[in-house]
Each structure stands twice: as C-alpha cells, then as structure tokens.
Amino acid sequence: MIVGGGPAGLSAALVLGRARRRVLVVDAGRPANRVSRVVGGLLGHSDSPAALRRNGLRQLRELPTVDVIEGEALDAKLEDGGVSVAVARPSGVWNLRARALLLANGLNYEPPAIPGAESLWGRSVFHCAFCDGWEVADRPIAMHARGASGARLALLLRGWSDDVLLCTDGPDELSDDDRERLAAAGVRIRTERVARLESRRRRLTQIVFEEGEPEARDALFVRPRRTQPSEIAERLGIELDDHELIPADQSGRTELPGVYVAGDASAEVRSVAIAIGSGSRVGIAMAADLIVDRLATHA
Ligand SMILES: Cc1cc2nc3c(=O)[nH]c(=O)nc-3n(C[C@H](O)[C@H](O)[C@H](O)COP(=O)(O)OP(=O)(O)OC[C@H]3O[C@@H](n4cnc5c(N)ncnc54)[C@H](O)[C@@H]3O)c2cc1C
C-alpha cells in the first residue's frame, strides 16, 4: 500500500505495478504544489501540477496491478508479516492489510503568518527560487527571513534579480560579515515589522511595513514551516528527525520492517523531479524486497 498519490507515490506505484506487485494507492488529493500554475524545472513537462497528475493516473490505469483510491489513511500498525491501515473514505472507514507500506504523504508547507500571504501562496509568495525564480526574473523581489540563512537565501535570489530586498520582519540577526556581503551584492535590508501584503488579482503589488514607506515588489520568497501532514508515521512509532522528516536509508527503508518512505516526507531537498526519482528508487527497493522475501519464505 502507498499512502499519498503525489509525484513520489505515483512514481513508486508505476515501478511496483510493472514489477507485478499488487498496489493500492490511497490519496487524500492535497499535493504540496496544488496552488501553482506550472511545475517549474521538471524535464519534459511545463504544464500544471494537475496535468502531470492526470497523465500519471492515465499511465497507471493501464496497469491491472495498480488501483488508486481517494481516502485518508488515519492509522497504521505493524502486524505479523505486514501492516494494517485504517483509511477514511466517503463510505466509511476501511481497514486494509498490506505486506508493505510506502509513506509518500509529502509535507505540509505553512507560509509565515503575514496578513495577505496565504491567498498569494504559490502565486506571488514562494518558497523556492529554483521552482519559481524564473517566472519573476529581473523583477523587484524580496526575501522574508533573518540571520545567516536569511542572508544566504537573499544572496541566492541575486541569481534571478538585481533588485532584491531582505525583509527581516524584526531584528535582523545578521553578522557584520553577512551585512557586508549583502551590501556588496546590492541587497537592501528592511528590519521593520511587515504589516501586510497588498495585491491585485492574486499578484503581489507591495509589502506594507508597520513603519516607513511600503515597497513595491512582484514576489516575496519565504521560509515556510514544514510538518508531516499526517500522523501515520507517529502512529507507527517512527521518530521524526529534527527537520520533521521520516528517517530512512537511501532506498527509503525506515527502521520498521516493511515500512518505506519516499518524496518530500523524507527529503532534505525537495522538488517534483526529486520526488519522482525518489518514488522510483524506493519502488525498486520495495519490489526487490517483496519478491526476494517471498521466494525466501517459499524456499
Ligand atoms: C507552493 C509550492 C510550489 C511548488 N512548486 C514547485 C515547482 O514549481 N517545481 C518543483 O519541482 N517543485 C515544486 N514544489 C515542490 C513539490 O511540490 C514537492 O517537492 C512535491 O510535490 C513532493 O511530492 P510528494 O509526492 O512527496 O508529495 P506531495 O506532492 O505533497 O503529495 C503527497 C500526497 O499525499 C497525500 N496524503 C498526505 N497524507 C495522507 C494520508 N494520511 N492519507 C492519504 N493521502 C495522504 C496528500 O494529500 C498528497 O496528495 C512546490 C511546493 C510548494 C509548496
């Protein structure tokens, strides 16, 4: 069973289904990038996240080994030789059993609580320059962050625009060295508290501060809080790492037998391409484990 039908889960399902394993994907249908117009930076695809998903599902429908259903996995526990999972569906709660479980549940991305940010999330308020920088290149843009990592992120944005503003929304927590590097790169710093974001037709127009003049900007990059969107890992007794990620080896094997993880849920660097690659890699490991284990049991 695969919990999560985003790029990681569907990619793993493709590998497992083609390896003739019976696969059930349970998906709540809330992928991280659902608000975005396009998937930026994915080879061979420059359309929306929904179009990518449609194409993936069409491909999976051709495999008699794979089923994808809507539902939310609520609980899971290890049982002799497998896992049991409680899944909420419109018709009620289903209790399902599987020999192995892949957690491909992604992450929740929560933008900072700046009034106006939520409605612009994925449209003018972004978290990743590599995903959305291209679309706002050479425009006036801003980074909302502070400290050494804020300085680094603001400097990174200079790769896309000469007009970068660092909004620290309070004490900047910058070292003298950071300040010098930012000044040398032409990055301005505003330390006043951000009061709100103003927009027109879901496009940022300006950042308004509690004091001083507003700044006209076309995009604001932020550092969202990332959390697991579901309690499944916790219910299984998996301890998350300091970044709220599910620890696993390179092939996605967690500390629990028969439980794997792929995609954002366990990734330090996150993108659709990485999630697809991770799903594929973990799908290969799972299929090999399942096939070889079964042969060993029958020996
Ligand atoms: C606003 C935004 C824009 C982005 N833009 C880009 C971009 O342009 N290019 C790019 O490469 N990357 C982009 N990313 C990153 C990219 O979206 C993620 O790296 C990628 O979606 C991760 O894939 P995933 O399959 O691991 O998780 P997701 O795509 O998040 O899919 C996880 C799925 O699991 C489901 N799920 C969760 N819990 C449960 C449960 N308990 N039961 C059943 N289902 C469950 C969710 O509903 C969801 O459908 C963006 C991210 C954000 C937040």
Side-chain angles (χ1 to χ4, degrees):
M1 186 186 304
I2 299 177
V3 170
L10 296 185
S11 168
L14 182 65
V15 172
L16 283 156
R18 285 170 55 87
R20 303 170 70 200
R21 300 306 95 194
R22 284 192 52 214
V23 183
L24 179 68
V25 182
V26 177
D27 185 34
R30 292 188 297 273
N33 59 353
R34 60 192 176 278
V35 289
S36 301
R37 279 184 214 280
V38 290
V39 182
L42 179 64
L43 186 67
H45 180 90
S46 45
D47 203 337
S48 64
L52 181 69
R53 179 181 166 80
R54 266 197 310 277
N55 287 341
L57 289 174
R58 193 176 307 132
Q59 215 176 349
L60 291 174
R61 267 197 296 273
E62 286 166 18
L63 295 174
T65 41
V66 178
D67 286 301
V68 182
I69 61 169
E70 268 178 50
E72 181 133 14
L74 303 174
D75 197 3
K77 55 177 181 291
L78 290 188
E79 279 184 355
D80 214 17
V83 192
S84 77
V85 184
V87 176
R89 302 215 62 216
S91 55
V93 175
W94 291 13
N95 288 302
L96 303 166
R97 267 188 59 82
R99 281 182 62 209
L101 176 66
L102 172 59
L103 300 172
N105 51 234
L107 286 174
N108 249 347
Y109 293 64
E110 202 184 302
I114 304 169
E118 206 169 318
S119 63
L120 297 176
W121 178 235
R123 298 299 173 111
S124 284
V125 173
F126 305 116
H127 75 295
C128 162
F130 294 96
C131 299
D132 297 293
W134 178 261
E135 281 70 26
V136 292
D138 295 326
R139 308 233 206 108
I141 59 179
M143 181 74 224
H144 180 268
R146 57 176 72 149
S149 59
R152 196 178 156 70
L153 290 166
L155 289 170
L156 179 68
L157 286 181
R158 285 285 284 98
W160 286 267
S161 174
D162 291 343
D163 185 356
V164 176
L165 175 75
L166 174 60
C167 302
T168 62
D169 204 358
D172 61 24
E173 296 169 18
L174 295 168
S175 65
D176 289 345
D177 195 39
D178 285 333
R179 266 189 220 104
E180 264 170 45
R181 290 177 67 204
L182 289 163
V187 175
R188 288 187 299 122
I189 304 169
R190 295 274 308 251
T191 58
E192 303 95 314
R193 291 274 172 200
V194 174
R196 64 180 183 279
L197 304 182
E198 289 186 348
S199 58
R200 194 174 326 116
R201 293 197 190 134
R202 293 189 71 191
R203 298 253 174 193
L204 178 66
T205 50
Q206 61 178 4
I207 303 172
V208 179
F209 298 88
E210 285 183 2
E211 291 162 49
E213 289 299 303
E215 295 269 0
R217 297 285 108 179
D218 286 358
L220 177 67
F221 287 81
V222 299
R223 301 184 67 189
R225 200 168 94 87
R226 296 188 192 88
T227 51
Q228 291 289 325
S230 119
E231 288 179 7
I232 293 294
E234 233 173 290
R235 296 269 181 173
L236 282 161
I238 295 175
E239 207 174 308
L240 303 180
D241 72 11
D242 294 345
H243 303 285
E244 290 271 322
L245 300 174
I246 298 172
D249 73 9
Q250 286 197 334
S251 296
R253 296 184 187 92
T254 70
E255 61 193 355
L256 301 181
V259 180
Y260 300 73
V261 60
D264 271 14
S266 160
E268 304 235 330
V269 181
R270 292 160 289 268
S271 77
V272 171
I274 292 170
I276 291 173
S278 155
S280 186
R281 179 172 184 158
V282 178
I284 289 171
M286 273 181 94
D289 289 352
L290 286 166
I291 294 167
V292 175
D293 279 358
R294 186 182 184 145
L295 293 175
T297 318
H298 288 199

